[in-house]
Each structure stands twice: as structure tokens, then as C-alpha cells.
Amino acid sequence: MSRILLIEDHDRLAHLMCKGLLAAGIAVDVVDRIDSAWVAIQQMPYQALVLDRGLPDGDGLVLLKKVRNAGLNVPCLVLTARDALHDRVEGLEAGADDYLPKPFAMNEMVARVRALLRRPAEFHPIDPSHGDLRLHIESGALFNGDKSITLAPAEMHIMQLLLHKHDDVVRRSALEAAAWGLSEAVTPNALDVALHRLRRKLLAIGSRQRIANVRGMGYALRQADDAQ
């Protein structure tokens, strides 16, 4: 399932949008401010952004410019109550990939998001890899050469983030957000259970990569000889 970030401060509209996107097989995390959106984007390799311009802490284009200045090419659909030509041009120049004025039909919004998710691979890598591992997102299979094993959805999202970060340390909270979203409540040991299963699956396919616990910091992929 694809996962996007919706930055929208109108609760009812955000709820309706989430309902429409989930029905189309698209998972959604929702935040209502620029600062919390930036934190979420740094934690998760989202496949698209849906960004409202009128947010409590400023114009959403401020966030979009920050994303583009950081070298992130995640596709972005900008929503706005403004429909003047110069507003659309301003949004596109800030780095938007598409622009949808309010009010809009939900089926059109969903169609535009799905179009962004079909963007070429250089905008959002489909099958991340690192070391001897490659994750096939469509099938949920983790490969080491010609050996493979199927991952549960939460396991796949965790592995996707670890592979995306290569051997950088990922915080526990970021892995939980990747696996279950920002708004879904999870039990305290849910991540530990998922990591235990992933470690067993790495061994099952003979990978030299290990999920190491970097004490006091988080988790990272490490070669077997370097894993703690």
C-alpha cells in the first residue's frame, strides 16, 4: 500500500480525504502544521504529499520550498482556496507537481494523487536496496540474490525505511510511524515483535545484513561482523 502525507488543518475535510484515499488503497498520515509536517517528512519516505496552502503556522509553500531545498523530489499536490492564475504559477514555481483549487470533487483529488504515485522511479524509488538486500514493494518480498521471503505490511514498511536510510540510525519513533502511521495506536512492544520477526527472516534468506540496536539512538542495518 502506498503511503502519503496529507497536510491539512480542516478536520472534516481531512477526514473525507482520508476516507477517499483509503478506499483507493492509499494509506494516509495527517498533520495540520508546517513544523509537524517537516518532522514527519524527515522520518518517513512518503511517496507523495498533499499540501494545503492555508495552515495555522503559515503558507504551505514555505514547507514545499524547504522540501525542495533539501533535495527531496517527493511529488506534491497543492490544495488551495485561491484560484487566481498567479497563485497557481506561484505554487508550481515553488516545486508543486500539481495544483487543485478548493472546493474539489473527492474522486478528482484521488485521481490526481494516483497520477502522482505513477511518477517515474527517479521521483520515488520503488524497490529500495542496500548491501545484499532488495525489497520488492509490489509483492512485499525481501530478496537476497535468488532467495526471498514475504514480509507482513508492517515489516515491509520498517524494512523500506531502514533500506532507504542505508546504514544510518533510525529512531524507534520513526520506525513505529513507518509501520503503523502517525495516528494509529500501537502496543509498546509491537515494534520489538516486528523487529524480532524481521531478524529471523534476514537469517532465513542468508543475508549478511542485521538490524542492529544502536544503544540510546535507534536501529540501523549493519553487516553481520559489525552488528551489535
Side-chain angles (χ1 to χ4, degrees):
M1 179 180 284
S2 300
R3 176 169 284 159
I4 71 167
L5 180 65
L6 170 61
I7 307 101
E8 170 60 65
D9 66 320
H10 190 290
D11 290 342
R12 176 164 171 74
L13 178 58
H15 173 75
L16 291 173
M17 292 176 68
C18 286
K19 185 177 180 180
L21 290 163
L22 285 170
I26 301 169
V28 189
D29 288 337
V30 183
V31 295
D32 61 0
R33 301 178 65 88
I34 292 171
D35 54 1
S36 52
W38 179 241
V39 171
I41 290 166
Q42 291 177 297
Q43 291 181 344
M44 270 287 294
Y46 289 106
Q47 290 156 296
L49 307 177
V50 178
L51 173 64
D52 187 21
R53 284 196 63 172
L55 296 167
D57 52 346
D59 188 336
L61 294 188
V62 172
L63 172 66
L64 181 55
K65 290 175 182 177
K66 191 171 185 177
V67 168
R68 295 299 183 241
N69 288 339
L72 302 175
N73 291 321
V74 55
C76 181
L77 170 64
V78 170
L79 308 175
T80 181
R82 314 170 192 178
D83 193 24
L85 176 59
H86 72 273
D87 290 317
R88 296 199 299 273
V89 171
E90 186 179 19
L92 294 170
E93 288 184 344
D97 298 272
D98 199 359
Y99 199 95
L100 186 60
K102 298 178 180 179
F104 50 80
M106 286 296 159
N107 58 353
E108 180 182 5
M109 180 275 299
V110 171
R112 288 177 182 247
V113 171
R114 294 182 72 171
L116 290 184
L117 294 173
R118 293 194 295 269
R119 294 285 298 263
E122 62 263 28
F123 289 95
H124 53 282
I126 297 299
D127 293 337
S129 62
H130 179 63
D132 57 12
L133 293 174
R134 178 175 61 86
L135 179 63
H136 188 245
I137 298 294
E138 185 174 353
S139 66
L142 183 65
F143 287 83
N144 173 25
D146 58 359
K147 297 179 180 178
S148 68
I149 196 164
T150 300
L151 303 183
E155 297 167 355
M156 185 185 73
H157 289 306
I158 291 169
M159 185 55 63
Q160 181 183 8
L161 182 54
L162 289 170
L163 289 170
H164 176 76
K165 294 292 186 179
H166 291 181
D167 54 3
D168 290 342
V169 177
V170 183
R171 290 181 306 226
R172 184 182 183 89
S173 60
L175 290 176
E176 289 176 336
W180 296 284
L182 295 174
S183 57
E184 184 175 341
V186 296
T187 58
N189 67 338
L191 180 62
D192 298 314
V193 171
L195 290 174
H196 175 71
R197 290 174 177 166
L198 276 172
R199 286 171 172 138
R200 292 183 63 181
K201 290 181 177 183
L202 290 176
L203 291 172
I205 59 174
S207 173
R208 288 183 53 78
Q209 296 292 323
R210 299 290 183 267
I211 301 174
N213 183 352
V214 183
R215 195 174 302 276
M217 297 177 65
Y219 300 86
L221 288 176
R222 295 285 187 264
Q223 288 280 355
D225 295 341
D226 301 328
Q228 300 177 10

